[in-house]
């Protein structure tokens, strides 16, 4: 129920931004990156994930934009102490969505902040996990942006806890308007 309420609030806030003035820059971009997941309860291992996602934020004022992001990641985790000679590598996969905000002067280089409170799911060694994500980054120029992301996956069966720091690079496809309408 909490997830449904959070998603509904994010969608309503995003829809409300369409009524705003179109002269402010907005974010509509794709991101890609890598992450280093580490599982420390059951498998005791580390690995590599590839990330791909979509970011969207519409301005509410000259200094604030609100939107959402969706993304997915997949890769592997290698066990440090495998159970047997055949089980060295395990699949790591997740999809998630969250709220994305831009702070600061939107015509220059605003800060990006995102949060996803268990809105998504993942699998670590076929164990269902719920990701909690936090993103923090900044626009580099009109089109490129960079974000750091920290994920904390916890298992629904109390078997697995996994953390993953990631770095994401994004490209904004939205047109940037510099002139205000009169």
């Amino acid at each position: 129920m909490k997830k449904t309420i959070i998603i509904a609030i994010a969608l309503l806030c995003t829809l409300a931004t369409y009524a705003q003035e179109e002269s402010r820059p907005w974010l509509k971009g794709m991101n890609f990156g890598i992450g280093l997941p580490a599982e420390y309860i059951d498998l005791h291992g580390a690995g590599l994930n590839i990330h791909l996602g979509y970011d969207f934020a519409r301005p509410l004022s000259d200094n604030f934009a609100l939107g959402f992001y969706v993304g997915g990641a997949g890769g592997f985790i290698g066990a440090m102490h495998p159970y047997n000679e055949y089980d060295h590598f395990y699949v790591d996969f997740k999809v998630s969505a969250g709220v994305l905000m831009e702070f600061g002067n939107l015509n220059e280089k605003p800060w990006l902040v995102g949060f996803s409170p268990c809105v998504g799911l993942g699998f670590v060694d076929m164990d269902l996990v719920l990701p909690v994500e936090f993103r923090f980054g900044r626009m580099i120029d009109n089109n490129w942006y960079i974000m750091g992301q920290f994920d904390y996956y916890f298992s629904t069966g109390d078997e697995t806890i996994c953390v993953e720091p990631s770095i994401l690079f994004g490209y904004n496809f939205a047109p940037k308007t510099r002139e205000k309408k009169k």
Side-chain angles (χ1 to χ4, degrees):
M1 183 66 176
K2 289 180 186 179
K3 291 179 194 177
T4 306
I5 292 171
I6 291 170
I7 291 171
I9 289 171
L11 288 175
L12 286 175
C13 291
T14 302
L15 291 174
T17 63
Y18 281 104
Q20 301 296 319
E21 184 179 333
E22 289 291 328
S23 66
R24 297 183 187 114
W26 46 290
L27 176 66
K28 180 181 172 185
M30 297 290 293
N31 68 61
F32 57 93
I34 60 169
L36 302 172
E39 200 283 327
Y40 55 90
I41 296 295
D42 185 31
L43 301 175
H44 298 284
L48 180 71
N49 276 350
I50 304 296
H51 291 258
L52 182 64
Y54 175 74
D55 302 315
F56 177 82
R58 296 280 300 197
L60 296 176
S61 70
D62 289 333
N63 296 319
F64 181 72
L66 179 65
F68 65 93
Y69 70 89
V70 292
F76 69 92
I77 293 179
M80 292 182 191
H81 307 290
Y83 296 122
N84 59 46
E85 62 185 86
Y86 303 109
D87 290 332
H88 291 284
F89 296 101
Y90 301 94
V91 174
D92 183 16
F93 172 77
K94 73 160 180 122
V95 293
S96 62
V99 176
L100 183 67
M101 296 168 277
E102 285 184 283
F103 295 99
N105 188 346
L106 299 181
N107 288 312
E108 292 180 8
K109 297 178 183 176
W111 295 95
L112 303 166
V113 176
F115 180 68
S116 174
C118 300
V119 182
L121 62 91
F123 293 98
V124 176
D125 185 31
M126 298 309 293
D127 189 18
L128 180 65
V129 294
L130 299 175
V132 176
E133 297 178 345
F134 179 72
R135 291 181 171 192
F136 188 77
R138 188 157 193 188
M139 295 294 290
I140 297 171
D141 62 13
N142 285 342
N143 294 325
W144 291 98
Y145 56 97
I146 187 169
M147 289 187 286
Q149 177 173 302
F150 183 78
D151 296 329
Y152 177 81
Y153 310 147
F154 62 92
S155 172
T156 56
D158 294 329
E159 295 177 7
T160 302
I161 293 180
C162 188
V163 295
E164 179 184 0
S166 307
I167 186 161
L168 304 172
F169 300 95
Y171 186 80
N172 185 11
F173 294 100
K176 294 288 187 172
T177 306
R178 297 291 180 213
E179 301 290 326
K180 290 217 177 214
K181 291 181 182 176
K182 295 182 181 181

